[in-house]
Amino acid sequence: MKQFKRSAVAVLSAALLGAAGLAATATPANAAQETAGSASTAQTVTLRFDYTSWSHWTKDASDASHAGTLNAGWNYVYCYSMGGTVTDVGRTSATWFLTDDDSGNKNVWVSKVFLARDQVNIDVPKCQ
């Protein structure tokens, strides 16, 4: 009975998030650990980015840490952490999201300044 209740709650939660235009996806805790090269976190959150941006190996905007590119649009992130301050497109932030970019790089960082304004208050877990 408990398993049925959990399944029903998961289905209803997904439906409500979808109806609200919010997409949050969860994966089993062991799935993230079993996938080579992905962050060891139990949940991913899907966020919309207004701008295509560089991804970085470290939480700074230096050319030396440039990894690849994260395309504008809906992208998933694992968690957030504080890092170097970035000012671009009229915004400033020291928050960085851990993600896998569209260039095939795993566990790279993207600055929050490129996040769509209507997405800034969506709950993202803090990186451990």
Side-chain angles (χ1 to χ4, degrees):
M1 184 64 168
K2 284 185 181 180
Q3 182 62 33
F4 173 75
K5 286 182 183 177
R6 281 188 221 141
S7 297
V9 168
V11 169
L12 289 173
S13 297
L16 289 172
L17 284 171
L22 301 174
T25 58
T27 57
N30 61 350
Q33 293 171 352
E34 291 173 1
T35 304
S38 65
S40 59
T41 183
Q43 183 176 357
T44 60
V45 177
T46 304
L47 299 172
R48 186 169 47 84
F49 289 79
D50 280 341
Y51 306 96
T52 296
S53 62
W54 280 6
S55 61
H56 295 268
W57 295 114
T58 55
K59 297 172 279 188
D60 64 65
S62 73
D63 288 347
S65 70
H66 177 227
T69 303
L70 185 74
N71 294 332
W74 291 99
N75 292 282
Y76 65 90
V77 299
Y78 295 114
C79 55
Y80 80 92
S81 184
M82 303 309 288
T85 300
V86 175
T87 299
D88 200 2
V89 296
R91 304 181 205 176
T92 299
S93 180
T95 302
W96 291 79
F97 295 115
L98 183 65
T99 189
D100 300 333
D101 69 20
D102 294 308
S103 301
N105 299 305
K106 305 279 186 200
N107 298 325
V108 292
W109 298 95
V110 176
S111 175
K112 184 178 180 176
V113 298
F114 303 108
L115 189 63
R117 291 187 190 274
D118 66 342
Q119 301 285 294
V120 297
N121 293 322
I122 293 177
D123 191 30
V124 175
K126 187 170 183 178
C127 298
Q128 298 297 325

